[in-house]
């Protein structure tokens, strides 16, 4: 029996979420392809500068905000249902958050795409960071607000299931798949308050014309209050897969239950009070608070290094179960012919590289060297663009069969896909990092920096631009392979009662060795709030004390 037969209602919800996620991935990916080509003189003619920003907004919103959120919702529905062994409590409620989120997404997407219609007044070329002075049609912000509210409801749905389960299991530890989902959602509640206040309190009134002036610093600060934690909202579900499923795919078991819980607790505590590291160059925030944010950001390396240790130890255990020997030779015994495993493993390797460039971004002084250059997209295509996106694609090869009751088709194409993504991203991201060091800005529709076409381009900016274009093309091919394999398997894969081996073994060191205090959600949630208040109350007070909409206000 597979998930579909055991929990048919939850399977339907998870599938609906995955369909929306994959459509967003397809459209957003297409825009990425156009952006990458746009960096060469040869393919620049198709879209003008105004349209470039429409596409760039669509790319960022559809991939970083929509693809991720819907995929995560599907993944958590799967994990919470399975680990608590109960279907969602009330299907009307469950479907209502799904549809609310979808309506919000459609409103947002339509306002963005309106920018491609000549003379349309419905526009939202405000990029996925959407803070002033760029202004969008009100429907863009209202759509975003609906998505956020719906995601809160989704979280409430999982807490609801957990509370019901708790009544019948008063003394048991929170099952690990539910633990990770609930801690991720607690972090999401803490951080989305900032963006909700920004959108509802400032941007919607401003876009409707109820207020005409707006201070730039306050909405930026509220956005970045959310904007770093959101990266952990994307990343923790990838960790979810690496902790819960990857050890099994490697042929072994999770190394330590305790390490897993500790890591999620640290992320809940430290993800939010770090937002100023996106504002090192902003005037109006005292340097001491920026320093505090730098310190907490650097502390966040700790749970990621712990993850590296635990996940690699689990993989090594798996490889040794499969007959692996030696200090490093065991790596060869890992299942390098399994698409789900390969995608997760390569995603993890790229994440390590993303961690290094992230340390540079986080350093107050070196940050100035790369601030707002194309280095930054170089960095986050390794993190969200690969560690997260490639993990999500890879684990779909394992999840979708469980949800549809059909076997995966075209295994060879599925296996080529993650390797192609790795290759394309190596080219694109490396060139972006190099170009950024040379001072090339990000988010520019006019990217030409030196001669093109018939001149030798090696060693010039044009060479890096071409590498971005070629890397982007390989990525697009990889994306098409993914969508093709998934669609074909979903529609026409061979039907089976057990299309994949979905058994997940117990950890090597189980919950009985894990301190009980780690499961105390109220305690950790309260501590998270205190850390946020320490970081944000004084600077926010300085910003609003002279009037909330007062433009240009600086601390005295
Ligand atoms: C920006 C290409 C996949 C998220 C960019 C840029 C390029 C690009 C060239 C820089 C544009 C500029 O600064 O002017 C691609 C290609 C992809 C891909 C070819 C694969 C086919 C992804 C994925 C994600 C992602 C999977 C996230 C899940 C972003 C974000 C931005 C961006 C958030 C920044 C947008 C902004 O600055 O407002 N992409 N990308 N991309 N990409 Fe991608
Ligand atoms: Cu950040």
């Amino acid at each position: 029996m597979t998930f579909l037969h055991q929990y048919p209602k939850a399977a339907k919800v998870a599938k609906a979420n995955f369909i929306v996620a994959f459509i967003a991935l397809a459209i957003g990916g297409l825009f990425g392809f156009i952006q990458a080509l746009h960096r060469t003189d040869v393919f620049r003619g198709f879209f003008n500068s105004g349209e470039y920003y429409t596409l760039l907004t669509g790319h960022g919103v559809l991939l970083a905000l929509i693809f991720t959120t819907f995929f995560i919702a599907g993944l958590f529905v799967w994990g919470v249902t399975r680990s608590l062994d109960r279907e969602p409590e009330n299907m009307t409620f469950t479907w209502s958050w799904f549809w609310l989120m979808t309506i919000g997404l459609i409103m947002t997407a339509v306002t963005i795409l309106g920018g491609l219609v000549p003379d349309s007044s419905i526009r939202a070329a405000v990029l996925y960071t959407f803070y002033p002075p760029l202004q969008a049609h009100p429907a863009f912000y209202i759509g975003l607000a609906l998505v956020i509210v719906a995601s809160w409801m989704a979280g409430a749905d999982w807490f609801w299931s957990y509370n019901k389960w708790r009544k019948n299991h008063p003394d048991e530890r929170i099952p690990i798949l539910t633990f990770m989902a609930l801690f991720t959602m607690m972090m999401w509640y803490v951080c989305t308050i900032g963006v909700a206040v920004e959108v509802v309190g400032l941007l919607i009134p401003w876009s409707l014309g109820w207020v005409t002036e707006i201070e730039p610093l306050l909405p930026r600060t509220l956005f970045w209050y959310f904007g770093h934690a959101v990266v952990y909202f994307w990343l923790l579900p990838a960790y979810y897969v690496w902790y819960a499923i990857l050890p099994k795919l490697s042929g072994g078991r999770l190394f330590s239950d305790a390490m897993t819980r500790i890591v999620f607790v640290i992320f809940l505590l430290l993800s939010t009070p770090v937002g100023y590291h996106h504002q090192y160059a902003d005037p109006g925030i005292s340097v001491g608070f920026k320093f505090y944010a730098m310190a907490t950001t650097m502390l966040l390396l700790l749970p990621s290094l712990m993850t590296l240790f635990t996940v690699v130890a689990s993989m090594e255990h798996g490889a040794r179960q499969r007959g692996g020997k030696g200090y490093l030779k065991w790596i060869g015994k890992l299942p390098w012919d399994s698409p789900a495993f390969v995608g997760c493993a390569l995603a993890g390797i790229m994440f390590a590289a993303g961690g290094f460039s992230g340390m540079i971004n986080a350093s107050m002084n070196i940050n100035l060297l790369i601030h707002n250059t194309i280095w930054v997209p170089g960095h986050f295509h390794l993190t969200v663009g690969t560690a997260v996106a490639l993990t999500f694609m890879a684990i779909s090869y394992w999840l979708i069969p469980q949800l549809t009751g059909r076997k995966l088709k075209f295994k060879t194409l599925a296996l080529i896909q993650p390797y192609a993504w790795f290759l394309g991203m190596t080219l694109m991201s490396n060139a972006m990092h190099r170009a950024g060091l040379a001072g090339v800005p990000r988010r520019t529709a006019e990217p030409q920096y030196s001669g093109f076409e018939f001149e030798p381009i090696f060693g010039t900016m044009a060479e890096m631009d071409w590498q971005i274009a070629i890397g982007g093309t390989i990525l697009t091919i990889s994306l098409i392979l993914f969508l093709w394999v998934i669609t074909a398997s979903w529609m026409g894969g061979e039907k089976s009662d057990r299309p994949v081996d979905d058994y997940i073994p117990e950890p090597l060191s189980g919950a009985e060795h894990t301190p009980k205090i780690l499961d105390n959600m109220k305690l950790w949630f309260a501590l998270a709030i205190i850390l946020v208040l320490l970081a944000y109350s004084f600077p926010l007070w300085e910003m609003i004390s002279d009037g909330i909409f007062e433009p240009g206000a600086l601390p005295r």
Side-chain angles (χ1 to χ4, degrees):
M1 286 263 276
T2 199
F3 190 91
L4 169 70
H5 310 296
Q6 256 172 308
Y7 312 106
K9 293 182 197 160
K12 238 185 185 165
V13 182
K15 279 191 283 192
N17 279 285
F18 286 139
I19 291 178
V20 179
F22 296 152
I23 294 174
L25 179 65
I27 304 174
L30 172 70
F31 292 173
F33 179 49
I34 300 170
Q35 281 153 218
L37 291 186
H38 195 89
R39 305 202 71 80
T40 69
D41 236 11
V42 182
F43 299 105
R44 265 171 49 79
F46 302 140
F47 290 94
N48 65 34
S49 301
E51 288 160 343
Y52 181 84
Y53 291 106
T54 293
L55 296 179
L56 188 57
T57 306
H59 180 74
V61 169
L62 286 174
L63 291 175
L65 303 180
I66 301 299
F67 161 62
T68 49
T69 306
F70 277 88
F71 192 92
I72 293 163
L75 180 69
F76 284 178
V77 167
W78 170 84
V80 171
T81 304
R82 173 183 164 133
S83 65
L84 300 180
D85 189 21
R86 52 192 302 143
E87 292 262 35
E89 302 310 314
N90 178 325
M91 289 318 289
T92 318
F93 181 72
T94 303
W95 283 112
S96 62
W97 64 251
F98 169 78
W99 282 112
L100 191 64
M101 203 149 93
T102 307
I103 292 168
L105 145 72
I106 293 172
M107 284 173 74
T108 306
V110 166
T111 47
I112 298 173
L113 295 177
L116 295 177
V117 180
D119 303 323
S120 140
S121 62
I122 300 181
R123 277 170 191 279
V126 292
L127 307 175
Y128 81 115
T129 39
F130 59 81
Y131 40 64
L134 301 176
Q135 195 184 51
H137 190 276
F140 175 86
Y141 304 114
I142 296 171
L144 283 181
L146 294 183
V147 172
I148 296 168
V149 171
S151 73
W152 291 345
M153 290 166 63
D157 206 357
W158 303 319
F159 272 98
W160 188 2
S161 287
Y162 165 72
N163 285 335
K164 287 271 168 146
W165 172 89
R166 184 46 98 198
K167 294 224 165 75
N168 307 328
H169 304 80
D171 299 319
E172 269 177 51
R173 300 305 291 263
I174 308 172
I176 193 86
L177 278 170
T178 300
F179 181 96
M180 291 190 278
L182 296 185
F183 271 72
T184 307
M185 290 317 288
M186 281 197 283
M187 185 204 74
W188 184 243
Y189 286 123
V190 174
C191 79
T192 41
I193 296 168
V195 73
V197 170
E198 183 205 1
V199 169
V200 177
L202 302 174
L203 301 183
I204 293 180
W206 178 58
S207 67
L208 287 169
W210 297 345
V211 291
T212 48
E213 288 186 322
I214 197 154
E215 176 197 14
L217 187 60
L218 179 60
R220 272 175 74 84
T221 304
L222 290 172
F223 180 83
W224 286 121
Y225 166 92
F226 152 85
H228 188 80
V230 72
V231 314
Y232 290 116
F233 179 65
W234 307 326
L235 190 65
L236 291 185
Y239 280 16
Y240 191 86
V241 170
W242 298 350
Y243 277 113
I245 311 172
L246 182 58
K248 184 248 153 46
L249 297 177
S250 319
R253 307 185 197 184
L254 173 61
F255 186 68
S256 158
D257 174 277
M259 285 284 257
T260 313
R261 290 183 205 242
I262 292 172
V263 162
F264 275 73
V265 168
I266 301 180
F267 274 116
L268 166 63
L269 296 182
L270 294 184
S271 291
T272 314
V274 297
Y276 303 131
H277 72 213
H278 292 261
Q279 296 182 283
Y280 288 147
D282 282 22
I285 298 168
S286 310
V287 75
F289 286 103
K290 293 179 181 171
F291 192 88
Y292 175 85
M294 174 170 73
T296 35
T297 309
M298 293 299 178
L299 267 179
L300 272 172
L301 284 172
L302 184 72
S304 283
L305 290 172
M306 287 164 70
T307 301
L308 179 75
F309 172 80
T310 312
V311 173
V312 173
S314 312
M315 283 162 64
E316 178 178 347
H317 173 255
R320 293 195 190 282
Q321 298 303 106
R322 298 163 58 94
K325 300 239 155 24
Y327 282 121
L328 290 175
K329 257 171 77 188
W330 56 267
I331 295 175
K333 283 282 181 198
L334 288 167
W336 293 106
D337 54 353
S338 144
F341 169 82
V342 172
C344 292
L346 294 182
I349 294 172
M350 284 233 135
F351 185 62
F356 290 124
S357 63
M359 275 152 71
I360 290 175
N361 304 344
S363 309
M364 266 172 85
N365 47 357
I366 320 179
N367 175 280
L368 298 178
L369 184 69
I370 46 85
H371 198 79
N372 276 344
T373 69
I374 199 164
W375 162 291
V376 177
H379 159 73
F380 63 61
H381 281 85
L382 295 177
T383 52
V384 67
T386 299
V388 175
L390 184 55
T391 298
F392 287 0
M393 290 191 255
I395 212 59
S396 302
Y397 297 137
W398 187 75
L399 284 176
I400 297 298
Q402 299 177 38
L403 297 174
T404 57
R406 289 170 186 270
K407 287 189 177 170
L408 200 66
K409 283 182 93 170
F410 305 124
K411 268 234 170 93
T412 318
L413 295 183
L415 185 61
I416 297 172
Q417 186 267 324
Y419 287 108
W421 191 274
F422 190 82
L423 175 69
M425 199 52 94
T426 304
L427 274 173
M428 184 171 99
S429 166
N430 181 53
M432 284 174 159
H433 279 97
R434 275 177 60 205
L437 283 178
V440 175
R442 69 186 279 204
R443 293 177 158 174
T444 170
E446 313 299 334
Q448 60 276 57
Y449 282 89
S450 61
F452 283 94
E453 298 190 46
F454 303 114
E455 291 167 34
I457 61 164
F458 291 102
T460 66
M461 297 287 195
E463 181 205 328
M464 295 182 230
D465 278 341
W466 273 98
Q467 282 190 31
I468 293 175
I470 295 168
T473 307
I474 300 173
L475 285 168
T476 309
I477 294 170
S478 168
L479 189 60
I480 293 169
L481 288 179
F482 169 75
L483 294 167
W484 171 246
V485 170
I486 289 295
T487 315
S489 311
W490 195 313
M491 319 277 283
E494 182 194 331
K495 285 201 175 157
S496 158
D497 267 359
R498 210 173 146 80
V500 281
D501 172 10
D502 56 5
Y503 169 70
I504 299 180
E506 288 297 309
L508 277 173
S509 165
E512 65 281 9
H513 303 296
T514 306
K516 279 232 161 94
I517 192 165
L518 291 172
D519 286 15
N520 187 338
M521 291 196 274
K522 283 188 189 132
L523 170 70
W524 302 118
F525 192 73
L527 270 178
I529 302 265
I530 291 174
L531 287 175
V532 161
L533 289 176
L534 282 177
Y536 274 93
S537 45
F538 285 107
L540 279 178
W541 173 249
E542 281 191 323
M543 284 173 217
I544 61 173
S545 56
D546 60 347
I548 292 176
F549 291 99
E550 218 52 46
L554 290 174
R556 280 161 291 269

